[in-house]
Amino acid sequence: MIHHLRGKLVEKNPTHIIIECGGVGYFVNISLNTFSKLPEQENVSIFTHLQVKEDSHTLFGFMEKSEREIFRLLLSVSGIGSSIARTMLSSMSPSQIRDAIANGDVPTIQAIKGIGAKTAQRVILDLRDKVLKVYDIDELSLSANNTNKDEALSALEVLGFARKQAERVVDKVLSQDSSLSVENIIKLALKNL
């Protein structure tokens, strides 16, 4: 309903701002990410999301459209409300959240206060396809390296090498050339083990 606000920044706090537009002061909830990007000048323009509930109308503000899109995607996940979505955007940048979802990185999402393992898995399960489609990320480039690395590590474990030691060597090999096949990763790792 309210797409954006442009007006005078009356009050600025890490969790909310007050913007005066045409004589009306709007109380706008923000993330730390948006707070850090707020300009010092009086006049600001922010994108908004209006959440309407039975007992309240709450306005959320974002300096970038991409942050608002991630916020809206997070709200679509069962078990994620506006406060957890805002906490996520205060803990990580929108691009970090997007990449964690696209890569299926459960530990990164679970590290955010208030998110358990099941919720982190649900976020990835519900949003991965949407994130890949909306941001036009090539799923193959993201998962190929992870799959090759995992297969190489499994093979090295079968050969009797300790996982932590093998993972260090494989990471070193992949840092030099991330497009290696599983066989080449294993061959190069064996030379360094």
Side-chain angles (χ1 to χ4, degrees):
M1 187 174 149
I2 300 174
H3 181 266
H4 69 276
L5 292 173
R6 183 178 295 128
K8 182 180 174 187
L9 186 61
V10 177
E11 192 179 313
K12 177 180 170 183
N13 295 296
T15 57
H16 70 273
I17 55 175
I18 296 176
I19 297 179
E20 187 176 314
C21 304
V24 178
Y26 291 91
F27 184 96
V28 183
N29 293 284
I30 58 171
S31 67
L32 287 175
N33 184 57
T34 291
F35 178 75
S36 67
K37 292 181 179 175
L38 279 170
E40 290 303 315
Q41 72 244 30
E42 266 188 8
N43 292 320
V44 294
S45 180
I46 59 164
F47 298 100
T48 59
H49 172 81
L50 178 64
Q51 185 177 49
V52 179
K53 290 185 176 178
E54 268 183 41
D55 57 348
S56 69
H57 288 57
T58 311
L59 201 56
F60 294 91
F62 312 94
M63 285 304 294
E64 300 166 337
K65 272 188 178 178
S66 62
E67 185 180 8
R68 180 174 66 180
E69 291 311 309
I70 293 287
F71 181 80
R72 287 177 171 169
L73 283 174
L74 290 169
L75 289 181
S76 71
V77 177
S78 172
I80 300 255
S82 55
S83 62
I84 291 180
R86 188 167 66 155
T87 301
M88 288 179 78
L89 287 165
S90 292
S91 304
M92 300 166 65
S93 71
S95 59
Q96 288 173 320
I97 293 173
R98 180 195 66 211
D99 294 345
I101 291 169
N103 287 315
D105 190 350
V106 174
T108 299
I109 294 173
Q110 193 179 340
I112 298 166
K113 186 178 183 285
I115 294 187
K118 285 187 178 176
T119 306
Q121 290 166 349
R122 193 179 312 119
V123 167
I124 290 168
L125 187 69
D126 289 1
L127 299 182
R128 188 158 193 231
D129 291 339
K130 290 177 187 173
V131 164
L132 292 171
K133 193 168 89 178
V134 169
Y135 292 97
D136 200 25
I137 299 171
D138 184 7
E139 188 171 7
L140 292 174
S141 68
L142 285 170
S143 57
N145 292 341
N146 292 346
T147 306
N148 288 354
K149 177 184 172 180
D150 291 341
E151 286 180 30
L153 284 172
S154 295
L156 290 167
E157 275 185 291
V158 169
L159 293 172
F161 293 100
R163 179 143 184 117
K164 286 199 184 248
Q165 181 188 10
E167 192 164 7
R168 272 198 301 272
V169 174
V170 168
D171 285 340
K172 186 178 175 188
V173 167
L174 285 172
S175 70
Q176 293 164 356
D177 183 3
S178 61
S179 64
L180 291 170
S181 67
V182 177
E183 296 80 18
N184 288 332
I185 294 172
I186 295 169
K187 284 178 189 173
L188 290 168
L190 285 171
K191 288 180 184 177
N192 294 312
L193 282 167

